[in-house]
Amino acid sequence: MSGMRARQSMTFPAFQQAALWALAALTMLLATSVRSNFKSTPPIIYDTYVVYVLFLSALSFSALRDNRIQLVKSTATELIITISDVQLSDDGEYTCSIFTMPVRTARATVTVLGVPGKPVITGFDDAVEEGGKVTLTCTSSGSKPPAKLHWYRDQEEIQGRPDVVESNPDEPTYTVTSELTLTVTRNDNNALITCAVDHPSIANGDKRTEQPLSVLFSPSMSIQPESDLPREGEKFFLQCVGNGNPEPTAFVWRRKDAELPPLAKVDGAFLRFESLNKSDNGVYECQADNGIGMGDITHTLLVQDPTAMSTSSGVDHAVIGGVVAVIVFIMLCLLIVLGRYLIRHKGTYLTHEAKGSDDAPDADTAIINAEGGHSGVDDKKEYFI
């Protein structure tokens, strides 16, 4: 729609008031003439018919001046027009009239929305030092009615100053401006400041502009040792890490209360030891400068014996030993349970085998009375002389 949208469609454009009354008067004269020549036709129908034809002629004359306006439906009771390529000039009141006696008229207002342009953020050209203030200005032009502007820091909405609305010269549209003032910290570095347009002609988020912030701040420091267990006689280094904007490039190493060891060499952010010695024990300090400020950090070096084990290795061995002890304990419990089960069943067999022999007066009677003997077999005794 060339940057415009119509809120509703309506009938043909309104005529000026004077032309409307002139057309009505002319219609009444022609209607009287028609009734005198066609007396058999009901006059009201002809009144309507004559007025209808005259109205169509006037409409056709108007439409010829603007090809965007087209008649799409014409019946005895209804006229429908369409307006293509809607423009802001199409905004206004539209009137539909039927020239009966009396004249009947209906009116409707068509509001054409001016689609706002993509917002533009200004006021941020160079990086800002930590603790400084930055003022951003967001501007969007071409909206009708005036758009609303919203500020966001990453995904969180923040409040700016109230919108300032100005009318555009020679156009029924508006330019909306909003300002946002921030006191920046190092946490604002690389944060996205967004200005979004809210307007009924567009979906939320369709028109938005993002501006990343760049905040300059002094470095925060840390020292990372090559290992947690430096052993005597090994090579070793300490690395100085500085997190700042910009990144630090100048590093200075010191040893508190003493000079650096003769075998220690400074290599930029690294302090390297060719061969550790117990005499290297001490507190080492690293200082870094990035042009905005300086940062420093200390680290205590304790050189261990060559046979020392790292704390992590000791922890691993303790865990392994605990697992082995649990497994051995479970196996012992299983062996004890299995042994008791076997002993119980063996005792039962012996008891049944000897049942009935305890009260026997002699060995022969005990054998005969014992369970498991051959039932149904005649008792036989054999004697040897």
Side-chain angles (χ1 to χ4, degrees), residues 98-153:
I98 301 179
F99 291 96
T100 58
M101 294 299 292
V103 177
R104 290 179 292 174
T105 301
R107 294 180 176 84
T109 300
V110 173
T111 300
V112 180
L113 301 177
V115 181
K118 185 176 181 180
V120 177
I121 298 178
T122 58
F124 188 85
D125 299 325
D126 300 318
V128 182
E129 288 194 25
E130 182 179 20
K133 287 188 177 182
V134 58
T135 299
L136 303 177
T137 302
C138 179
T139 304
S140 176
S141 184
S143 60
K144 177 181 174 295
K148 295 181 179 180
L149 302 179
H150 299 274
W151 290 98
Y152 297 88
R153 181 189 182 278

Side-chain angles (χ1 to χ4, degrees), residues 211-278:
Q211 173 65 60
L213 293 180
S214 179
V215 181
L216 304 176
F217 57 94
S218 59
S220 56
M221 308 300 298
S222 64
I223 292 180
Q224 297 178 357
E226 182 180 7
S227 67
D228 294 333
L229 190 68
R231 295 184 180 90
E232 190 174 11
E234 294 181 346
K235 287 187 176 182
F236 182 74
F237 67 78
L238 296 173
Q239 181 182 5
C240 188
V241 179
N243 178 26
N245 187 26
E247 294 292 332
T249 56
F251 297 88
V252 176
W253 284 96
R254 298 187 184 91
R255 183 182 183 184
K256 286 192 174 183
D257 303 327
E259 297 291 333
L260 288 176
L263 296 181
K265 296 181 179 181
V266 176
D267 182 14
F270 292 87
L271 179 62
R272 302 184 184 277
F273 298 83
E274 295 299 324
S275 179
L276 284 175
N277 191 283
K278 290 291 185 68

